Amino acid sequence: ESRLPGFATHQIGVAGAVVDESNGKVLVVQDRNKTMNAWKFPGGLSDLAENIGTTAVREVFEETGVRSEFRSLLSIRQQHDHPGAFGMSDMYIICRLSPLTYDINFCTQECLRCEWLQLTDLAKTEHTTPITARVAQLLLHGLESGFHNIDLSMEVIPAVYSGKFYQLYHRQLPSTLKS
Amino acid sequence: ESRLPGFATHQIGVAGAVVDESNGKVLVVQDRNKTMNAWKFPGGLSDLAENIGTTAVREVFEETGVRSEFRSLLSIRQQHDHPGAFGMSDMYIICRLSPLTYDINFCTQECLRCEWLQLTDLAKTEHTTPITARVAQLLLHGLESGFHNIDLSMEVIPAVYSGKFYQLYHRQLPSTLKS
């Protein structure tokens, strides 16, 4: 990668798809301030220097009251001229999370509704966004055939020059190939 | 995702792994301005409003003279306190590209060397970075078992509210499941 001075061009939004594997349900919300009441995964913007998984877990808790843990990265959307991004671009990342608690206590300032919805229903309802429906299909495929088929797993790796650490996401390699 | 006003926190760097499937070689460079001469994939920072794949193809051409086309997204690294990023964070994305031309005509201002290297050699050499070695392993796995095992494929999808389009990346769904 280039070491030429650059400048920040993207805001990072992260959503968390909290999947209850015991019953095939996923945690979804409807925003209070939208023209269309569409089910989507809870999420929001990353704070400065916040890791992707940390944003997902934090935003899910703030919006829904449900505690969860990071499992994988599922999907990335890049969008330019994003409304509300002041000419900057937007990277929207959806993570897979596992629930640690199940009781909903949602933020009424941000959300109109919050429910554990069947993934099969979310995949086919019209009351959602195309990206949410697509990720619901991905998650169904993962539930049926194994989440390794849809996940980008995360690893913490030491940086070469700085002595710091970074988070690397990619498809899991078969264990026989990993060095 | 949240529609609250945010601000850009990340610069986006993109590298292109141009794989010649006919001989198992990949295009790599050594930077001129590094303390360590490590093989890595050509790449650089995204311009404002530039798509990930466009950055990869442009940077590969500028650094190496090789023309290529975007195939998939392979890996994402998130790093905070990145040197040269002025306190902002860095998202470094590695794409898989296919070569359209093969003759190297590299930029001597940026690069010390540029070669088509065997992926098997890149995966085990010490003269590379951990992330490059890891992606070389991923690419070898893809060459042997099919690139669908390592790729996040890209689709252009219309945005719900703005009437614009965005790029969505995720693992390919079996064709029977796609709506």
Side-chain angles (χ1 to χ4, degrees):
Chain A
E1 69 266 53
S2 171
R3 295 285 185 229
L4 295 172
F7 64 99
T9 54
H10 283 66
Q11 62 180 15
I12 308 290
V14 186
V18 187
V19 179
D20 185 344
E21 296 177 46
S22 72
N23 57 17
K25 290 186 176 179
V26 66
L27 187 64
V28 285
V29 296
Q30 288 187 4
D31 271 354
R32 178 163 283 284
N33 301 311
K34 286 287 174 60
T35 45
M36 191 181 94
N37 288 326
W39 289 115
K40 54 196 212 46
F41 304 117
L45 293 176
S46 268
D47 291 334
L48 192 59
E50 187 177 45
N51 290 336
I52 291 166
T54 307
T55 306
V57 167
R58 175 180 59 73
E59 286 282 347
V60 165
F61 179 70
E62 289 175 6
E63 286 190 31
T64 72
V66 170
R67 296 210 179 265
S68 62
E69 63 185 355
F70 176 81
R71 300 299 290 273
S72 73
L73 196 156
L74 293 174
S75 173
I76 297 156
R77 182 197 65 187
Q78 188 184 34
Q79 191 167 294
H80 307 298
D81 301 316
H82 184 64
F86 302 105
M88 294 293 110
S89 297
D90 181 85
M91 196 80 85
Y92 174 63
I93 296 170
I94 300 182
C95 300
R96 182 169 73 82
L97 309 177
S98 288
L100 296 173
T101 66
Y102 298 85
D103 289 344
I104 290 173
N105 179 18
F106 71 92
C107 172
T108 53
Q109 284 191 303
E110 283 192 76
C111 305
L112 200 65
R113 293 178 186 173
C114 177
E115 283 182 23
W116 289 100
L117 206 67
Q118 286 291 339
L119 272 170
T120 45
D121 293 335
L122 185 61
K124 64 187 180 202
T125 181
E126 287 181 13
H127 300 289
T128 191
T129 62
I131 190 171
T132 307
R134 178 63 62 86
V135 170
Q137 290 176 311
L138 263 181
L139 287 167
L140 275 175
H141 178 50
L143 263 181
E144 284 159 16
S145 66
F147 285 120
H148 65 279
N149 286 301
I150 63 168
D151 286 345
L152 291 202
S153 54
M154 191 270 277
E155 234 174 298
V156 177
I157 293 189
V160 176
Y161 302 106
S162 61
K164 294 181 176 172
F165 292 84
Y166 57 78
Q167 286 72 44
L168 183 67
Y169 303 82
H170 59 68
R171 289 274 299 149
Q172 199 138 28
L173 277 168
S175 53
T176 48
L177 288 177
K178 229 169 185 170
S179 68
Chain B
E1 69 268 51
S2 171
R3 295 283 184 233
L4 295 172
F7 66 99
T9 54
H10 283 66
Q11 61 180 15
I12 308 290
V14 187
V18 188
V19 179
D20 185 344
E21 296 178 47
S22 73
N23 58 16
K25 289 185 177 180
V26 66
L27 187 65
V28 285
V29 295
Q30 289 188 1
D31 271 355
R32 179 163 282 284
N33 302 312
K34 285 288 173 61
T35 45
M36 192 181 94
N37 288 326
W39 290 115
K40 53 196 213 48
F41 304 117
L45 293 176
S46 268
D47 291 335
L48 192 60
E50 187 178 45
N51 290 336
I52 291 166
T54 308
T55 306
V57 166
R58 175 179 60 73
E59 286 282 347
V60 164
F61 180 70
E62 288 175 5
E63 285 191 30
T64 71
V66 171
R67 296 208 179 268
S68 62
E69 63 185 357
F70 176 81
R71 300 300 289 273
S72 73
L73 196 156
L74 293 174
S75 174
I76 297 156
R77 182 196 66 187
Q78 187 183 34
Q79 189 167 295
H80 308 298
D81 301 315
H82 184 64
F86 302 105
M88 293 293 109
S89 297
D90 181 85
M91 196 79 87
Y92 175 62
I93 297 170
I94 300 182
C95 299
R96 183 169 71 83
L97 309 177
S98 288
L100 296 172
T101 65
Y102 298 85
D103 288 344
I104 289 173
N105 179 18
F106 71 91
C107 171
T108 53
Q109 285 190 301
E110 283 192 76
C111 306
L112 200 64
R113 293 177 186 173
C114 177
E115 284 182 22
W116 289 99
L117 206 68
Q118 285 292 339
L119 271 171
T120 45
D121 293 336
L122 185 61
K124 65 187 179 202
T125 181
E126 287 181 14
H127 300 290
T128 190
T129 63
I131 191 171
T132 307
R134 178 64 61 85
V135 171
Q137 290 176 312
L138 264 181
L139 287 167
L140 274 176
H141 178 50
L143 263 181
E144 283 159 17
S145 66
F147 285 122
H148 65 278
N149 286 302
I150 64 167
D151 286 345
L152 291 202
S153 55
M154 192 270 277
E155 234 173 299
V156 177
I157 293 188
V160 175
Y161 302 107
S162 61
K164 295 182 177 174
F165 293 85
Y166 58 78
Q167 286 72 44
L168 184 67
Y169 303 84
H170 59 70
R171 289 274 298 150
Q172 198 138 28
L173 276 169
S175 53
T176 48
L177 288 177
K178 228 169 185 172
S179 68

